[in-house]
Amino acid sequence: MTRPTDQDLIDFVIRETRLIDQHRFEEWLDLFADDGIYWMPLEWGQTDPRLTASLMYEDKLLLKIRVERLKGNRTFSQKPKSRCHHLLQTPQIEKRDESANQYVTWTPMHYVETRLDRQDIFAAWATHTLAVIDGGLKIKLKRVDVVNCDAAFGNIQLFM
Amino acid sequence: MTRPTDQDLIDFVIRETRLIDQHRFEEWLDLFADDGIYWMPLEWGQTDPRLTASLMYEDKLLLKIRVERLKGNRTFSQKPKSRCHHLLQTPQIEKRDESANQYVTWTPMHYVETRLDRQDIFAAWATHTLAVIDGGLKIKLKRVDVVNCDAAFGNIQLFM
Amino acid sequence: MTRPTDQDLIDFVIRETRLIDQHRFEEWLDLFADDGIYWMPLEWGQTDPRLTASLMYEDKLLLKIRVERLKGNRTFSQKPKSRCHHLLQTPQIEKRDESANQYVTWTPMHYVETRLDRQDIFAAWATHTLAVIDGGLKIKLKRVDVVNCDAAFGNIQLFM
Amino acid sequence: MARYRGDVEAVKALVRETEVHRDVYIDEEVFALEMEHVFGNTWVYVGHDSQVADPGDYFGTTIGTQPVLMVRHSDGTVKVLHNRCPHKGTRITTETYGNTGKFFRCPYHAWSFKTDGSLLAIPLREGYDNTGLEQSHAARGMSAVRHVHNYRGFVFAKLNDTGPGFDEFFGESLSSFDNLIDRSPVGKLEVAGGVLRYMHDCNWKMLVENQTDTCHPMIAHASSAGTAIDVWKNAPPGAKKPMAVEIFAPFMSSYEFFEKMGIKVWPNGHGYTGVHHSIHSDYSAIPGYFEKMVEAYGEERAKAILGENRHNTVYFPNLMIKGPIQLIRVFKPLAADKTLVESWTFRLVGAPDVLLERTLVYNRLINAPTSVVGHDDLEMYERAHEGLHVDANQWVNIQRLYDPSEGPDATAVTNGTTEWQMRNQFRAWSKFMTMSM
Amino acid sequence: MARYRGDVEAVKALVRETEVHRDVYIDEEVFALEMEHVFGNTWVYVGHDSQVADPGDYFGTTIGTQPVLMVRHSDGTVKVLHNRCPHKGTRITTETYGNTGKFFRCPYHAWSFKTDGSLLAIPLREGYDNTGLEQSHAARGMSAVRHVHNYRGFVFAKLNDTGPGFDEFFGESLSSFDNLIDRSPVGKLEVAGGVLRYMHDCNWKMLVENQTDTCHPMIAHASSAGTAIDVWKNAPPGAKKPMAVEIFAPFMSSYEFFEKMGIKVWPNGHGYTGVHHSIHSDYSAIPGYFEKMVEAYGEERAKAILGENRHNTVYFPNLMIKGPIQLIRVFKPLAADKTLVESWTFRLVGAPDVLLERTLVYNRLINAPTSVVGHDDLEMYERAHEGLHVDANQWVNIQRLYDPSEGPDATAVTNGTTEWQMRNQFRAWSKFMTMSM
Amino acid sequence: MARYRGDVEAVKALVRETEVHRDVYIDEEVFALEMEHVFGNTWVYVGHDSQVADPGDYFGTTIGTQPVLMVRHSDGTVKVLHNRCPHKGTRITTETYGNTGKFFRCPYHAWSFKTDGSLLAIPLREGYDNTGLEQSHAARGMSAVRHVHNYRGFVFAKLNDTGPGFDEFFGESLSSFDNLIDRSPVGKLEVAGGVLRYMHDCNWKMLVENQTDTCHPMIAHASSAGTAIDVWKNAPPGAKKPMAVEIFAPFMSSYEFFEKMGIKVWPNGHGYTGVHHSIHSDYSAIPGYFEKMVEAYGEERAKAILGENRHNTVYFPNLMIKGPIQLIRVFKPLAADKTLVESWTFRLVGAPDVLLERTLVYNRLINAPTSVVGHDDLEMYERAHEGLHVDANQWVNIQRLYDPSEGPDATAVTNGTTEWQMRNQFRAWSKFMTMSM
Ligand code: FES
Ligand code: FES
Ligand code: FES
Ligand SMILES: [Fe+3]
Ligand SMILES: [Fe+3]
Ligand SMILES: [Fe+3]
């Protein structure tokens, strides 16, 4: 693929979250470009990831550590395991810049994380910045803005 | 209709849940094939409905009993009545096998059930196995996997 | 635009809720026709807005008062401010009557309102009655039916 | 630990002439005692008899935290029964409204009860022969509340045998009810329009006090009423002022307006604002209504009735009524920090529909969980409920225009900005709280 | 305030011959005392040893509100350990099932414990030299429950040293277990199919009482079982009656049916319904099963085993078992107003799969949070829990077929509609509640 | 029932030399007493004065469970006021930050207060003439906390008049603050980057103890730090080690490393880990920073400052600071089983931005609700909070390297794996808990 259709972009985002819900984390990690970033701001409308705190601002190495940890036999916070569920409003194409090889989608979503008898629900907007690399779409940046990003949260252990 | 379009399948699933929310249960029941099944597994990724417990595994007779009961004058757990609300991610076509007359859709959804001042929310994935019968789509199997299927629940009285 | 496409109608509804979530309330207000109404019934399946109580039944003047109030420096119930989040099932076209210049959409949705560490979630159905005015779509009536419309609620300060 | 139960002195010490201790608002034990004493020894509003028009009609509600059923008995009188089966305690019905026919039937084992609560039948009754059932609590059926009074359609009940009789308890304060009812050309009201239910995370008394708190509107409601006025300023010249603006605007009246409005206090904690005029005084006339009133009452009396513009009349412990706009608010205590506010509206039988329409506009704009005025107030209550947890100052001040000579159970008219009515309520609170301790 | 702790008389006064005070159901202090005494002085069901088949296998559960681990020790015996590290209190494992190998290892600082709970090792052990660790509570490791009994696979534990021995506590009531187990041609059960977990906002005892409440099905379950019968009426003639209808229909049996069914009471609060017949009597035969039973036991004994159709056997305090359908229900107390019902199913080793299939159908239709029969019952419990807050009548009636001569700890068979078994439970409740006060 | 209030002996009995009773963690009455005594008699961290740079700037927070405002008064000093209006108790502001100008104005009735809390004005003031307002609690305005101390920007307050003075309370423990502050070439800090708020369903003291618990990282954090090391192993040779790995890796240091690191205890429950070295020792140098420090302090002093690598310094009751990485954590008690952890970061004024960047990376990786290290720890706390409900062993062990001669309020440096600092905290807890009983 060189010029993804809008439907390609939508399908990609849906598949991305579905892989998380299915705990197929390695495959999910492969969706990121080598310099891909997962960003969950702490601040409403945050612009600076460097000198302002974030909930997450992780490169592929850090994401890989998470994925490996989730499999680990001594990961006690995952004994028993958490599960999660994404519900997406149909992703909207915010930007198509083929010359710059940049495609941006905007997706309102709910994220449910559950473990034992506890269930937490989060409302957020996901913004995906994608690029075509080696003929396939990859994530350059996945930004997740939680509506109450600055609220006091308990554990959030999987991926929104 | 002999060969439903993808949109036909999507519309069918949306209509199916809408009928529930509108308490049009007889019409809803008519969407099931005579040998149709409604399955709500108890186990994460459950494969066997027979020797493993399920929350629901009901044929049309059992579903009919529920529908009749909901109308009953001595159904005290429905005095006052519950209401429910489905919110669907756009159903995705998982499989189209026209030769086998089998069409499968996958639909992440939230289900809210409310009664008096109580409201419960459930996150689930619905998998519909459909077939064209007498020129119309019918449900052979509706499978609802709740993300925390094995959690302790209070009453779930209507249909996800 | 004289004859909106179905996609136009869908995009309009999505944009309408997005403006609310972005706190762009003046722009949002502009989406209403001069005689536009925002209606949130109190009663399940309510038909009469006049001699039956509603949660909201507001013309543009009243909506304007709300919008101005939200900006006010002495609006203490908004110190700090609330935030909100809409999650929509893809709007469905209920009616297209070009001769009458009336277009109706139906949209299941979740609405989250949050302030400080509190988060409330509401499940509702939005019904938009739209018309083309001066070449653009405008809201004649936005009706929001909350699934538990008659439940006891705390503050609902923004717009569903 | 028990710090108040059975300790009359400790309870009395909570209320001073001009200050009230915060435990009155935030202590769960005090709340439990309120339910037993304050809501047991006083006449508490249950409902309106138009809600149970026909024999067998019932309405489910609560007195304090006690679930009860108001039911129209076969003899046409209105009974108030505890909503509880004497067998295993099962709530007989959970629905707010219904018609039970000639008897109630428990859904668990089908014991049945007449609409006055008395035990009618038990399946396999012989299973109780010679068991002494007659001496059991169960034999009494659904316990009926013994003290019930229907005042021109408004039904009150007193749970305990202690406490004053109906007339002694209300005295001349009933005049506010009379004015509300007389506004119907046929002297009859009907509950209409539906009830707004608004949950408050604060103590119920904060709401009751707020009803006669005339120093807060111009401050706390500047955001809503003030904005309404500002927005209306930009209306095209000559545009007819909408009901909504007519309703919002007076909230921004001056201190002088509220001072002159006057407050009247009555014994047992009752009282009202708006003796001389009120925020309801200047509503525009409803075409055809006055004529109907003159027809019914003659001009002089009709003028007198409509000339009364009482703002908020508070009936101790938890009711407020607004004659000129035909609505009442019930402040239902759920816990020390939880209160459900129910706002009910009435149709004046024989009057134009437009009156009910205006009543509903008022209710929606002022009393709904989606009401901006409601947001203003609830923010204050919840902040107060939080603030009362501060240990450094444990007292609430109710001193404005205090006069050492005012004394308990007085009848008096005074400056509209006084906190006397709050003091009046707390004196009554002290009295009924300790009466049966 | 403490109204019951340490006051034996006050606790005794809660239970009368034919009435029980509502505090027994809704008072949190009474609940706390139940956890210490009723669930401390009696033999409480922990689990089935097929859940921990191999050494190191564990099953996490609770006794009352105490988290415990049932574990297969290296010597093959089943141990019950408190799920708590002696160092900082960390729960050792949160998973329901697992195999821990030769020892448990705490995830916080890696102290380790043998599968009998004894302390095995501490990293940097020398850090405790000459600190007197031996005299500390920590030295005891994971506290093991001292009184554990494995009855033919069913594991019970008693937390306190007070209270009767296993045989004295159960006596001949074990016959219901025997009948359940003997239904396997090889006399062996296995937990199978998974557990249904159903949350109830009511007191745990309401559920226990309901197990022998034979006057409610035809009323409370008319909506589900009654409807099932009606719907089946329209089935095409000659259609084979499905399992589901076979299961639903008997709930609508007549009063006479239930009267004749008979109830048996045993000492210490145990008892069962269905002495002569039960709702399980007329299930159709499973092909090949009877043959296997005859093979194993001989015809006469096989018939005797299968002829027993005990309906619900209640084991005080919180277990119910159903031999003919091979399931048990555990009523787990979480709070005065919160109860988790676990419904467990068993495979009869050596019997056809179809039996397990039927057991699962039964469990799904009757005991799931999605079960219409469950909805009928829970509605009653929650209504009762609400209704018990009515102060005007604070007593629950358990008087049906009461006979002053029946006395405590009797063994007797009587009319199937009696509430004797409920009285029997409350007499036991009183006894074990006050035994160690 | 009250088991501890007013019973000094019972409270003292909760803490033994080497064991602590579980009620200290899970009992709500003990928690309430902690709020009155432990958080009343000690100097509790309120905030940093860079949060209120200009006159009228305020910062809203809590001391224990008491809502307060830290405000910059017109005279430039920092005041701490109770966030509560003396009229009806309304919280004056709910926003965390703001500038109130010359005075606070209550949103309910517009009473106003100077930024030192004193009553400034009341609308219609004459309404209080001759009412004795002067003698009322209200006349005091917003109650100001009398004991406030600003130590080089860090603001502490003591709510009660009992308890030691600031210098006596902290003594030489302030050296950790000095080292943190001196790391700025200009000796000045600024709160920067935003605060991470992490909710914990456990008792606040579990977190405080964990700060000097050096035997848990290699076990509890093997899942996160251990995995980080493993993953990094596969990095291409010569790849520059990222900050993240530099931060994670030391958590997996050996017992020996932690033993040698050393722990120092101070009187009144203060102490720190990392006397000789710490997990922060080997961070790579930030270009340009050392030069700036030499410029400011001269080489020797600069080396001395940066040579200090104290790990966690605990200030009793609920503060922890990390000099080398410029962050502090406040463990805010909300209930016996609820604790809000706030992790604040600082900019070293005059130092390169990269230091703040690293501080934020650290905070994000270790202290966020999304942090894997945080997940490891919270899992332990919540399991412990559960486990402590086990009745069979009601004691927590704090015995490691206990020496009967260590005594209370000692100053000493000892083995880095000791639990002495935990004992030190509990001795202080006992002292301040009973000081004003
Ligand atoms: S509980 Fe009402 S009849 Fe038994
Ligand atoms: S808490 Fe179990 S080893 Fe420390
Ligand atoms: S409550 Fe603050 S001014 Fe009245
Ligand atoms: Fe107000
Ligand atoms: Fe039942
Ligand atoms: Fe840690």
Side-chain angles (χ1 to χ4, degrees), chain F residues 85 87-90 106 108-111:
Chain F
C85 178
H87 183 208
K88 303 289 185 207
T90 307
C106 179
Y108 202 172
H109 311 92
W111 289 27

Side-chain angles (χ1 to χ4, degrees), chain F residues 33-249:
Chain F
L33 291 169
E34 282 181 324
M35 295 305 105
E36 296 172 33
H37 301 287
V38 173
F39 284 80
N41 299 330
T42 61
W43 289 88
V44 179
Y45 176 68
V46 180
H48 189 269
D49 69 1
S50 64
Q51 295 172 279
V52 291
D54 305 318
D57 284 352
Y58 63 80
F59 165 62
T61 182
T62 50
I63 297 176
T65 47
Q66 296 286 297
V68 296
L69 291 171
M70 177 174 85
V71 58
R72 181 76 65 170
H73 186 41
S74 36
D75 69 1
T77 62
V78 173
K79 306 289 184 190
V80 178
L81 312 177
H82 290 277
N83 192 356
R84 188 259 202 218
C85 178
H87 183 208
K88 303 289 185 207
T90 307
R91 159 183 273 161
I92 298 297
T93 170
T94 303
E95 298 198 277
T96 306
Y97 287 109
N99 183 293
T100 194
K102 295 209 161 335
F103 57 88
F104 287 105
R105 175 179 176 279
C106 179
Y108 202 172
H109 311 92
W111 289 27
S112 58
F113 312 91
K114 296 213 197 79
T115 46
D116 64 0
S118 58
L119 183 56
L120 173 62
I122 302 180
L124 291 185
R125 178 79 181 233
E126 59 277 21
Y128 291 94
D129 294 348
N130 316 317
T131 63
L133 184 70
E134 310 60 39
Q135 288 73 50
S136 75
H137 289 80
R140 304 179 200 161
M142 290 170 67
S143 317
V145 178
R146 290 176 49 206
H147 310 281
V148 177
H149 190 98
N150 181 343
Y151 184 78
R152 300 186 66 186
F154 290 86
V155 178
F156 293 82
K158 184 163 66 70
L159 293 175
N160 299 347
D161 291 338
T162 48
F166 182 85
D167 296 328
E168 180 194 342
F169 182 68
F170 285 114
E172 69 166 61
S173 75
L174 292 168
S175 55
S176 287
F177 273 113
D178 292 331
N179 180 257
L180 166 56
I181 299 159
D182 293 344
R183 284 166 178 268
S184 153
V186 300
K188 198 168 176 326
L189 301 184
E190 280 173 9
V191 165
V195 56
L196 287 170
R197 306 172 65 234
Y198 193 176
M199 192 62 75
H200 284 49
D201 290 345
C202 67
N203 186 269
W204 63 280
K205 294 184 294 300
M206 291 181 183
L207 281 123
V208 180
E209 290 158 42
N210 176 268
Q211 302 311 304
T212 59
D213 181 334
T214 50
C215 287
H216 87 281
M218 64 294 290
I219 308 299
H221 297 304
S223 90
S224 48
T227 305
I229 292 171
D230 297 344
V231 170
W232 178 243
K233 284 210 188 83
N234 309 323
K240 176 179 180 313
K241 189 189 270 188
M243 265 185 199
V245 176
E246 252 188 28
I247 286 167
F248 275 138

